Amino acid sequence: MALFLPLTACQNPQAATSGTATPEFIGVLVHEAGEEVDEWTGDGDDFPDHPHVPEDVEISVAHPVFEGADAFSQALARRLDQEVMDFRGVSRDPVSLEITWEVVAASDDVLGVRLVRTEEDLHGVRQGYATYWYDVSTGHTGYATELLADDAALAELNGLAGEVLKDHPDVDHQGLLPVMRTYDSMGFNEDGDLVVEFDDGHLSPVVEGHPPDASKGRITAIVPSDRATPLLSELGERAREASLTEEPVLSVPEPDAPLDAVPVAPGVVTDPGPDVDCADPGVKCVALTFDDGPVEQTAHLLDILAEEEVTASFFLNGGPLLTRPWSVRRMYVEGHELANHNDLHESMSRHFEPEELPAQVAMVSAGIRRQTGYTVDLFRPPFGATNADVKAEISAQAMAEIMWTVDSEDWTGSDRDEIVEKVVSEVEPNGVVLLHDPQPPTIAAVPGIIEKLRGQGYVFVTTTQALAPETGKTYPPDWDGSW
């Protein structure tokens, strides 16, 4: 079952259904502040410290405040801050952002909140959705995927969603991947079924040179209770009960058993790359890095890397990221390292004034985080062109500047064999190889590079594994910034 809703600016599509038995919607218990639940509201002035703050953008955001659940309020506030920062960073000519809320679970055990994001920019109006789940006993705020037992349960749910949407004319199944930010809004309808809702355009087919079409609106997959229940975590089981309550509890006790460590949510990739120590002199590590994507042939490159069980690092640009966001999700879920290559792929030291650099750096970081939940910490200036202003901005946005030790020169018109020979003849342990996935000869060269370097005993790792970079520093350290 799938539902399509017309896209309406600054309007919560669920509000009209609150209190009704509509299976395509997460059940709503409260959708406005009142005697039992307060509200925090904010505007753009409440978020002054973001790296890029475009002018004349209307910001209106809110989250509920529950008595006894200060930790939940703080977690929701952090989430709003991230949403505002990422909207400012990734949007083309941003106009407005509104975030509203609904209470979807309320007991003395679990609280659940659904946030609805309505945004407008150059590409029109679209909405996004997220649910957050508060464990009253521990004070932990869980992402939607924490309703599930583990990554295996998320993978199974991803398969079930694929079955539901298999004949959907507006869904590109390449984009349906078990990533936290794909499954960041889940809850329960009034029948106790699991409702998975996808952001406007999140699963839409590629439109060359344009973000995926968001005009079809929200898409849902409903998983019946009997099929969803075996996938639920202990929190998920309690959340389901709290969602079906007839007497909402909106004032809860303070946590009595705080967690020793925050759990890793299903759909979050930790420590990409093979389990090797590149500081060990007996291990020969090499990082293959690909700039300027994702593009159409990136999918074939990912197929090659998957077949060869090779990890790589991808330095992404803004336009390609907006056009093929599903490729970014695939890179992430398959264990590759995501990194920033600036928005417009112009020389940062020659093309931009210093005041323009924050936007160039922020855009790709925001886009990657929106698609995966991952915060990048590596930045490569196009053409390796850098200067003191560029370095300062990269450092201010908490990244290391990454160049390369081997230039494949695939951008010069080299053919497959020339690229292979260039890389293999110059590589050294802990080397970083510069490649470009928009170059067809590069894709053709990758199997040969892998075969020959593997034959020499090299292990393919991420850039972070090869270099162990630190924020604010440049690698290699003696890079002169020439172009």
Side-chain angles (χ1 to χ4, degrees):
M1 179 184 298
L3 176 72
F4 312 100
L5 291 178
L7 190 62
T8 305
C10 301
Q11 178 178 334
N12 181 345
Q14 185 160 343
T17 69
S18 298
T20 66
T22 305
E24 293 86 0
F25 284 109
I26 296 170
V28 174
L29 303 178
V30 178
H31 60 84
E32 60 184 10
E35 293 183 2
E36 295 183 287
V37 59
D38 203 350
E39 179 182 62
W40 179 91
T41 61
D43 58 25
D45 292 339
D46 292 294
F47 306 95
D49 58 349
H50 292 162
H52 173 52
V53 182
E55 297 180 356
D56 301 322
V57 177
E58 183 179 346
I59 304 290
S60 175
V61 298
H63 69 75
V65 176
F66 303 91
E67 183 179 349
D70 291 344
F72 196 21
S73 295
Q74 294 166 12
L76 291 173
R78 289 192 296 270
R79 188 61 200 159
L80 289 185
D81 181 84
Q82 193 74 76
E83 290 286 4
V84 172
M85 183 169 72
D86 289 346
F87 171 73
R88 285 170 163 174
V90 79
S91 299
R92 302 292 200 210
D93 297 335
V95 175
S96 64
L97 171 69
E98 180 186 33
I99 298 178
T100 59
W101 58 268
E102 298 162 338
V103 178
V104 296
S107 72
D108 57 5
D109 198 26
V110 175
L111 297 171
V113 167
R114 177 178 184 261
L115 299 181
V116 180
R117 182 185 77 243
T118 305
E119 60 186 50
E120 182 177 5
D121 65 7
L122 172 67
H123 299 296
V125 181
R126 58 191 170 273
Q127 290 187 313
Y129 320 92
T131 58
Y132 298 94
W133 302 86
Y134 179 70
D135 187 336
V136 172
S137 65
T138 65
H140 171 63
T141 297
Y143 292 99
T145 57
E146 291 180 62
L147 297 176
L148 305 174
D150 49 29
D151 283 315
L154 177 58
E156 186 171 346
L157 177 63
N158 189 67
L160 293 174
E163 292 178 16
V164 172
L165 302 174
K166 65 180 179 180
D167 297 322
H168 197 304
D170 299 305
V171 169
D172 182 350
H173 284 263
Q174 294 180 103
L176 196 61
L177 294 158
V179 178
M180 184 188 72
R181 287 307 301 265
T182 293
Y183 288 89
D184 58 359
S185 189
M186 294 192 289
F188 303 91
N189 64 17
E190 295 183 11
D191 296 325
D193 303 323
L194 183 65
V195 180
V196 182
E197 55 183 359
F198 303 99
D199 292 355
D200 298 357
H202 191 83
L203 300 180
S204 295
V206 168
V207 180
E208 287 296 341
H210 195 281
D213 182 13
S215 66
K216 303 301 180 182
R218 189 185 73 120
I219 292 175
T220 62
I222 314 303
V223 181
S225 176
D226 61 339
R227 300 193 73 179
T229 297
L231 305 179
L232 298 180
S233 63
E234 189 267 342
L235 173 64
E237 293 174 353
R238 290 188 286 120
R240 182 176 180 274
E241 292 297 320
S243 301
L244 300 175
T245 183
E246 295 182 0
E247 298 182 2
V249 176
L250 299 168
S251 177
V252 297
E254 297 286 344
D256 58 11
L259 294 174
D260 293 331
V262 176
V264 176
V268 173
V269 177
T270 59
D271 300 325
D275 184 15
V276 297
D277 180 7
C278 294
D280 184 340
V283 178
K284 295 169 65 177
C285 292
V286 61
L288 301 183
T289 70
F290 296 90
D291 287 9
D292 303 354
V295 293
E296 183 176 3
Q297 58 261 35
T298 301
H300 180 45
L301 171 59
L302 291 171
D303 291 341
I304 294 171
L305 297 175
E307 183 177 354
E308 295 287 351
E309 299 183 346
V310 164
T311 299
S313 299
F314 288 85
F315 289 80
L316 309 176
N317 290 119
L321 186 156
L322 289 178
T323 297
R324 286 184 167 76
W326 72 265
S327 293
V328 180
R329 300 195 292 273
R330 181 180 170 187
M331 293 170 186
Y332 177 72
V333 80
E334 293 184 355
H336 300 293
E337 184 169 47
L338 301 174
N340 191 328
H341 195 41
N342 110 336
D343 183 6
L344 298 180
H345 200 272
E346 298 284 357
S347 168
M348 296 181 68
S349 61
R350 300 183 183 187
H351 190 82
F352 301 105
E353 297 297 325
E355 61 269 19
E356 296 176 293
L357 295 177
Q360 287 297 308
V361 176
M363 190 278 173
V364 174
S365 295
I368 290 173
R369 188 163 42 238
R370 274 200 162 187
Q371 293 302 320
T372 65
Y374 176 68
T375 296
V376 303
D377 51 16
L378 304 181
F379 188 97
R380 174 177 285 162
F383 318 109
T386 189
N387 59 24
D389 290 330
V390 173
K391 292 176 185 291
E393 188 57 43
I394 294 170
S395 179
Q397 297 196 35
M399 288 181 277
E401 185 179 54
I402 304 297
M403 302 305 186
W404 53 87
T405 63
V406 179
D407 183 355
S408 68
E409 296 187 358
D410 57 351
W411 50 273
T412 66
S414 300
D415 63 24
R416 178 197 62 187
D417 294 339
E418 290 171 332
I419 294 169
V420 173
E421 176 60 27
K422 176 74 170 174
V423 171
V424 173
S425 65
E426 295 188 8
V427 75
E428 295 180 351
N430 293 336
V432 175
V433 180
L434 174 64
L435 297 155
H436 298 82
D437 43 320
Q439 302 292 334
T442 299
I443 308 299
V446 167
I449 292 171
I450 293 171
E451 179 183 8
K452 290 182 178 295
L453 291 184
R454 194 169 262 163
Q456 295 179 14
Y458 278 94
V459 178
F460 297 94
V461 298
T462 66
T463 302
T464 293
Q465 288 179 295
L467 298 179
E470 298 180 17
T471 297
K473 294 185 178 180
T474 296
Y475 299 83
D478 58 352
W479 190 269
D480 63 8
S482 62
W483 171 35

